[in-house]
């Protein structure tokens, strides 16, 4: 069977691309290497921009069934490297990513996209007849063909590494879910930028009365050291009292560098979301994923029979997103020396 587009990864980028294409009459296969609903280690804070994009691309508001308590997120509070706090008030939602991503996938399926979970993309190769062969692995290894591929694998992407022959840099995240109490307002997401607490940032938020505390590092051997420092800091400064650890998470995210390099695609293969390099500070990637996924799909639709124009239009369409991302990083860079190299020159 020949698909118009095969999309790899059923996160916000992949689901948005799949819905955009399928509702416009294109034959779409959306693959996901995990079983849906999939679990993802994520704060699950939907900022106002994400809520607006859901309304624009999916035609309705995020359902209450995807949220956790407290469902209302009122913004972010940053503590810089000098201990000074900055409040950014903004209405948002607190969701479980497993439920939110699954809802997005269901909306894509309702628009006509075919979804295969428990299916990993192993490799892609362009053919001389204007098609792309995608090698997939589920219960067995097999191939499918399409006219285009949109790679939305997230930080861990075998396809991009194979096509570009690059070794990406990662930030490692470690967080715990706990029973306990703390003297902070549960309606906010807190980011701590002091270099003594992490090699990137440390954070606190609440999901269904579980206290979530985490640190991000470049060197995985330092996770325990930084986490212990962060817990001590929260006990001393915010009255943290932990009663029981319920769960531990480890994850990775791409390390954005000062040159803000975005990989838009190669030939008939486009990249969207984190795998392309679209990521806002503190790991806020949902809005960038949805926006880039939508524009990748729109660029395919507008240039379906002109493949040489797809990437250039995609780059043009995401220029405002790229500018927004750079401004967000510049804002953080002005708060702390940890991110000083991200200042726009």
């Amino acid at each position: 069977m020949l698909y118009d587009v095969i999309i790899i990864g059923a996160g916000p980028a992949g689901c948005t691309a799949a819905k955009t294409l399928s509702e416009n009459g294109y034959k779409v296969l959306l693959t996901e290497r995990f079983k849906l609903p999939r679990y993802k280690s994520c704060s699950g804070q939907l900022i106002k921009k994400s809520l607006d994009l859901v309304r624009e691309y999916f035609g309705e508001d995020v359902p209450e069934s995807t949220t956790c308590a407290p469902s209302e997120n009122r913004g972010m509070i940053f503590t810089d490297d000098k201990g000074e706090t900055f409040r950014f008030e903004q209405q948002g939602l607190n969701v479980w990513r497993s439920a939110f991503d699954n809802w997005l996938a269901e909306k894509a399926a309702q628009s006509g996209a075919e979804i295969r979970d428990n299916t990993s993309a192993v490799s892609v190769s362009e053919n001389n007849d204007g098609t792309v062969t995608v090698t997939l692995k589920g219960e067995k290894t097999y191939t499918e063909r399409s006219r285009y591929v949109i790679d939305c694998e997230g930080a861990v992407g075998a396809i991009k590494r194979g096509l570009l022959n690059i070794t990406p840099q990662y930030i490692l995240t470690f967080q715990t879910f706990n029973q306990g109490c703390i003297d902070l307002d549960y309606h906010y997401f807190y980011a701590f930028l002091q270099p003594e607490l992490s090699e990137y940032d440390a954070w606190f938020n609440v999901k269904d009365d579980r206290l979530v505390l985490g640190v991000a590092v470049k060197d995985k051997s330092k996770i325990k050291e930084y986490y212990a420092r962060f817990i001590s800091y929260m006990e001393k400064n915010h009255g943290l009292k932990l009663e029981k650890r319920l769960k531990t998470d480890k994850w990775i995210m791409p390390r954005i560098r000062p040159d803000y390099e975005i990989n838009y695609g190669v030939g008939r293969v486009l990249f969207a979301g984190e795998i392309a390099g679209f990521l806002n500070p503190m790991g806020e990637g949902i809005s960038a994923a949805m926006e880039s996924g939508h524009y990748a799909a729109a660029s395919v639709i507008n240039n379906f029979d002109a493949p040489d124009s797809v990437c250039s239009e995609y780059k043009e369409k995401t220029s405002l997103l790229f500018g927004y991302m750079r401004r967000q990083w510049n804002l953080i860079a002005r708060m702390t020396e940890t991110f000083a190299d991200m200042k726009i020159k």
Side-chain angles (χ1 to χ4, degrees), residues 77-299:
I77 299 177
F78 292 93
T79 301
D80 70 6
D81 54 5
K82 299 177 181 62
E84 185 177 353
T85 59
F86 299 83
R87 299 174 69 92
F88 296 90
E89 303 282 346
Q90 183 182 104
Q91 291 302 111
L93 278 181
N94 187 13
V95 301
W96 286 113
R97 279 294 302 274
S98 55
F100 176 69
D101 288 9
N102 194 59
W103 177 73
L104 296 179
E106 288 174 348
K107 300 301 291 185
Q110 290 169 14
S111 295
E114 178 186 342
I115 299 180
R116 294 184 199 167
D117 60 1
N118 276 334
T119 301
S120 299
V122 178
S123 64
V124 301
S125 59
E126 285 201 42
N127 306 313
N128 294 329
D129 61 356
T131 65
V132 183
T133 296
V134 182
T135 302
L136 300 169
K137 185 176 182 180
E139 293 183 356
K140 61 179 181 179
T141 300
Y142 61 100
T143 61
E144 296 283 8
R145 289 190 310 135
S146 64
R147 293 286 299 278
Y148 292 92
V149 169
I150 302 179
D151 182 4
C152 309
E153 293 177 281
V156 184
I159 301 303
K160 178 182 173 180
R161 291 199 304 270
L163 288 174
L164 299 182
N165 192 27
I166 59 175
T167 302
Q169 293 182 306
Y170 297 121
I171 296 295
L172 309 174
T173 69
F174 173 83
Q175 66 179 11
T176 62
F177 291 73
N178 308 272
Q179 290 178 344
C181 59
I182 194 170
D183 298 331
L184 290 172
D185 189 334
Y186 287 8
H187 293 88
Y188 291 85
F189 180 88
Y190 298 82
F192 300 87
L193 306 180
Q194 299 98 308
E196 65 269 21
L197 301 181
S198 75
E199 292 183 307
Y200 191 80
D201 73 325
W203 61 89
F204 167 77
N205 64 302
V206 177
K207 305 188 83 64
D208 284 345
D209 295 325
R210 304 171 191 178
L211 308 187
V212 184
L213 298 123
V215 297
V217 300
K218 302 169 189 174
D219 181 352
K220 67 179 181 180
S221 69
K222 297 181 179 180
I223 286 177
K224 290 183 178 180
E225 174 188 348
Y226 279 112
Y227 180 77
R229 288 185 196 172
F230 182 48
I231 295 302
S232 295
Y233 170 87
M234 297 297 277
E235 290 172 339
K236 178 180 179 181
N237 293 278
H238 298 292
L240 173 66
K241 295 179 181 178
L242 296 180
E243 299 168 2
K244 183 180 180 181
R245 182 181 295 186
L246 303 173
K247 184 179 179 181
T248 298
D249 271 350
K250 292 181 181 179
W251 207 260
I252 66 171
M253 61 183 178
R255 184 181 178 191
I256 304 300
R257 304 305 306 138
D259 56 7
Y260 304 93
E261 182 180 5
I262 302 295
N263 298 122
Y264 296 94
V266 179
R268 290 177 177 265
V269 180
L270 300 181
F271 304 117
E274 287 184 18
I275 198 69
F278 289 115
L279 184 68
N280 297 316
M282 310 305 102
E284 194 289 302
I286 295 174
S287 63
M290 294 179 66
E291 199 167 0
S292 60
H294 172 76
Y295 285 135
S299 299

Side-chain angles (χ1 to χ4, degrees), residues 308-320:
D308 292 341
S309 301
V310 174
C311 243
S312 58
E313 179 167 324
Y314 178 39
K315 184 176 182 178
E316 180 181 351
K317 282 182 174 295
T318 54
S319 60
L320 292 179

